Structure formats: structure tokens, C-alpha cells
Amino acid sequence: MTATLTAQATTDRPAPAPRQLRWLLRLHRPALLSGAAIVLLTGAALLWLGGPLTDASAAAWKQYNACGFTPSCAYDQSSILRYKDVYTYTTTAVLVVPFLVAAWAGGSLTGRETESGTVRLAWTQSVSPARWLASRLAFPAVLTAAATGLLVWLHRLAWTAADGRVDTAKPWYDFATFYANGTVPVALALAGLAVGVLTGLLLRRSMAALATAAAVLGALWAAVHTALPHLWPAVTATSSLEDGPTGSGIPVGEGVLTADGDRVAAPCHSGMMDGCRSTLADLDATGFYRDFHPADHYWPLHLVASGVLLLVAALAALAAFRLLRHRTGKTTG
């Protein structure tokens, strides 16, 4: 009797975390190897971009600027074009990573396991549904945050190395550069992981969950991008009618100020032109205004947007646990 009770207690005891981790690594080894390859290749390209490519492009721009208007002056155009191409490719790669995470989480991490019935096998081996789901969120979240954070850091180093040295380097407020240099891709990748896990549990079909998770994450990013200029108070720059709107950064809105203090959409942008001058006079305009985010709003915008994405990730994870509990009943404990 004692031996029977001991055996039953051993069977009912949740599997230790290392055992679940080994199972997770074995089951998703191809995806982990592919992800590691993507991170290593992109990271190597970013190191190349921020080092030799930036130096070569900066030297080529010095040659070009020294040429002036001399048509026969030679400069290394290929280095300039190579820098531009590699920057575009690596920036795109950094921004695509969250979508790869979402697609993998939906299509393989939960979608394929629920579709094939692998999850039921795991639950019969002393792994409760809640512990199974936690393992599908915790360890991948650590890897996702580390890998995405590394790529963002390397991208920012590469961009900083070229800032002020390469004439065609993207400004900080270029939206692709803005996102790839900050915390938003990390938060977006974590949101993609949670959304993908939830989608896989909901649809229980790997290909459908893969496509749906990527599409949902795209819609989420579009919503955050649309709301971004309004997540932090903008500053206002005013200027004369002759100067036109001024202020460099992420635009929020612009127009003309009237003598009554009203804001009106600008019909034109230069009081130096006769046609524009008369139109502005009819509006009783006194100057231009522009609402925008300057460079010192960079991190506040990123942190607030990242906070929104992390909240979505937390809500998606909570919804996944509730859905699993609803489907499995008391076995989630």
C-alpha cells in the first residue's frame, strides 16, 4: 500500500522545470536554430555596418564634398550605395523579428502542439496545463527579449557611428530608424509571443494561427504607430509668415495662427510668394505654427509605446491562461 501511494504521489507531482525545458528545446530545436542564425547574421551585418561600411561611406562623402562642382572629380560611390543598402536591409530585419516571433508562437509553439495532440501527451506526463502554458511563455520570452534587445542595441550603435559623418544617414525621426533604435521592437516581440500563443490556443490550427498572429501583430503595430504622436505632449514652434513652418522632429500638426488666436489649416507654406501672401492675408494670419516632438522626446515616446505593448502582451497571456482553464477545467492547477 505504501509503495502504491508513493508511486501515485510521484506521478501526480508536477514535472520539474529543467525537464520541461529540455522537452521544449527538443521539440522546437529547428526553430531555435533558425532564430539563432537570423540573430547572428543580422548582428554580424550590423557590426559590419557600424564599422568598416560607415568608415568607407564617411570617407567617400568627404571625397564627394571636396569635389565641389568639378565634374571629373572621382569619389567612391560604391561605398555610399553599399552603406545605404545594408542599412536598409538590417533595419528591415530588426523590425521583422517581432513578426517572426508571432508567427512561430502561433504556428508552432501552441498551434502545432494543439493540432497534433502533443499537448495532451505532455499533460499525461505530470505536466499540468497551466505549467505547460507557463513554459511556453516564460523561457521563449527571455530568449525573445534578449535576442531582440541585442539587435536593437547593435542597430543603435551602427546608426550612431554614422550620425553626422554620412550625409545620407537617416535622421532619428525617420520612422524605421526611430523604431529600430529603441525599445518598441522588444516590447512588440513580447506582444507577438503572447498574441501568437493565444492565437494558437484559439484556432488550434498551425497555419491559420501563424497567419492570424502575424496579421494581428501588424494591426497592433499600426494602431501604436497611429497613436504614437499623441502618447506624449508635443511642443509648438511658431514662425513668421515669411519663414514658413519650422521645427524638426516627429510631426503632429501644423497650420497658421490668426489675429484672433485661432488655429487654421495652412493653405500654403510661404508668405514670400504673392499668391500665398494674399491668401494668408484673407485669413488674417499672423504666423505659422507646428506641433512636433523634438529629439528629447525620443525615449518618452518609446517607453510609453512600449508600456502599451507590454500591457497588451500581459492581457493576451492572461487570456491564454483563462482560455486553457475554461477548456481543461480543474486540471490547470
Side-chain angles (χ1 to χ4, degrees):
M1 177 65 71
T2 303
T4 303
L5 291 176
T6 303
Q8 183 178 357
T10 303
T11 303
D12 293 339
R13 187 183 301 117
R19 178 181 173 185
Q20 296 182 49
L21 179 57
R22 289 194 299 270
W23 171 268
L24 187 64
L25 291 173
R26 186 182 305 113
L27 189 63
H28 298 281
R29 183 179 301 167
L32 292 173
L33 293 176
S34 299
I38 291 173
V39 172
L40 290 175
L41 290 175
T42 305
L46 287 169
L47 290 173
W48 183 40
L49 176 69
L53 285 187
T54 295
D55 293 339
S57 182
W61 274 110
K62 283 185 178 181
Q63 295 171 354
Y64 176 81
N65 293 328
C67 286
F69 296 99
T70 305
S72 60
C73 185
Y75 65 97
D76 189 4
Q77 185 182 28
S78 61
S79 293
I80 294 176
L81 297 178
R82 189 179 302 113
Y83 171 87
K84 181 179 178 181
D85 290 341
V86 174
Y87 183 86
T88 300
Y89 297 147
T90 52
T91 301
T92 302
V94 172
L95 298 179
V96 165
V97 166
F99 293 91
L100 297 179
V101 172
W104 169 69
S108 179
L109 192 58
T110 54
R112 188 179 65 182
E113 290 196 50
T114 53
E115 181 180 18
S116 64
T118 307
V119 61
R120 295 291 178 182
L121 176 61
W123 293 348
T124 61
Q125 296 183 349
S126 303
V127 179
S128 68
R131 185 178 287 268
W132 170 85
L133 181 55
S135 68
R136 265 63 185 169
L137 285 169
F139 181 65
V142 173
L143 288 182
T144 296
T148 313
L150 174 63
L151 292 181
V152 165
W153 178 64
L154 291 176
H155 187 279
R156 186 167 186 85
L157 287 180
W159 176 81
T160 303
D163 189 30
R165 298 174 59 201
V166 176
D167 290 15
T168 51
K170 295 292 185 180
W172 70 268
Y173 50 84
D174 171 75
F175 275 115
T177 299
F178 173 85
Y179 287 120
N181 276 346
T183 57
V184 164
V186 180
L188 189 67
L190 292 174
L193 174 67
V195 167
V197 166
L198 176 61
T199 304
L201 291 176
L202 279 171
L203 301 181
R204 290 185 282 189
R205 295 291 183 271
S206 58
M207 294 306 298
L210 182 153
T212 302
V216 170
L217 190 66
L220 176 61
W221 193 7
V224 171
H225 175 72
T226 302
L228 180 74
H230 311 287
L231 295 178
W232 195 260
V235 300
T236 301
T238 59
S239 54
S240 66
L241 296 178
E242 289 74 19
D243 293 335
T246 59
S248 177
I250 297 177
V252 178
E254 65 179 34
V256 295
L257 298 170
T258 67
D260 296 332
D262 296 330
R263 291 185 168 198
V264 182
C268 51
H269 294 85
S270 176
M272 299 294 291
M273 302 174 60
D274 293 338
C276 186
R277 187 184 301 113
S278 61
T279 302
L280 294 173
D282 292 339
L283 292 174
D284 198 18
T286 60
F288 286 97
Y289 77 90
R290 173 174 287 166
D291 296 330
F292 68 102
H293 293 287
D296 57 358
H297 285 194
Y298 181 86
W299 287 114
L301 287 171
H302 256 285
L303 294 176
V304 174
S306 299
V308 172
L309 290 169
L310 291 177
L311 176 60
V312 172
L315 292 175
L318 178 61
F321 277 102
R322 288 186 175 274
L323 174 64
L324 195 61
R325 181 178 181 181
H326 174 73
R327 286 181 176 172
T328 59
K330 297 181 179 179
T331 59
T332 57

